[in-house]
């Protein structure tokens, strides 16, 4: 399995920006897609964005489209989530995940998960 280590979470004001990073190790060679999900208190895990590792094709939830950008750095085996124009409703624990088969919006299709990092956006 691939191990994922996340960083970059924190507290920002509305309208601000954060850049999350997730470094992959272990059996990272088997990874096909990388995804970002988030979970707010009392809510289910929500798809945010994903990227196909090889081709670089990206996918976004409507709620973040135009504000968030997912990207990958092959040399560092790292996927990033650049979050701009942050809103209070973006507040959640953000998780990165790796899939050996795709880059789906469905959490159940991912094989490995990071520990999560807290993002808090104040009004």
């Amino acid at each position: 399995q691939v191990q994922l280590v996340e960083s970059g979470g924190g507290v920002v004001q509305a309208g601000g920006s954060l850049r999350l990073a997730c470094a992959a190790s272990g059996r990272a060679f088997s990874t096909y897609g990388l995804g970002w999900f988030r979970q707010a208190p009392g809510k289910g895990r929500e798809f945010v964005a994903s990227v196909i590792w090889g081709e670089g094709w990206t996918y976004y939830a409507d709620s973040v489209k135009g504000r968030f950008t997912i990207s990958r750095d092959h040399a560092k085996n790292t996927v990033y989530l650049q979050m701009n124009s942050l809103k209070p409703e973006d507040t959640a624990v953000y998780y990165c995940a790796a899939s050996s088969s795709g880059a789906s919006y469905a959490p159940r299709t991912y094989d490995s998960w990071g520990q999560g990092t807290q993002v808090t956006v104040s009004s």
Side-chain angles (χ1 to χ4, degrees):
Q1 295 295 111
V2 59
Q3 288 77 51
L4 303 172
V5 180
E6 300 166 325
S7 61
V11 181
V12 297
Q13 294 180 322
S17 298
L18 282 175
R19 188 194 193 199
L20 307 183
C22 183
S25 61
R27 298 187 66 179
F29 60 87
S30 67
T31 298
Y32 178 81
L34 281 301
W36 286 96
F37 294 79
R38 65 188 184 187
Q39 188 165 18
K43 296 185 177 181
R45 192 159 295 186
E46 176 189 20
F47 172 78
V48 176
S50 62
V51 60
I52 303 295
W53 185 256
E55 291 88 347
W57 299 338
T58 58
Y59 308 89
Y60 297 93
D62 287 342
S63 60
V64 306
K65 194 170 298 181
R67 299 188 297 122
F68 291 10
T69 302
I70 188 170
S71 62
R72 80 275 197 252
D73 186 328
H74 290 121
K76 296 182 178 180
N77 284 330
T78 299
V79 62
Y80 301 93
L81 185 68
Q82 178 67 47
M83 305 185 294
N84 299 326
S85 302
L86 283 162
K87 305 174 181 179
E89 52 262 45
D90 295 318
T91 296
V93 177
Y94 283 70
Y95 299 89
C96 64
S99 172
S100 61
S101 59
S104 173
Y105 64 88
R108 66 182 181 274
T109 65
Y110 288 79
D111 309 299
S112 302
W113 293 81
Q115 77 286 351
T117 184
Q118 177 70 46
V119 172
T120 301
V121 184
S122 61
S123 300

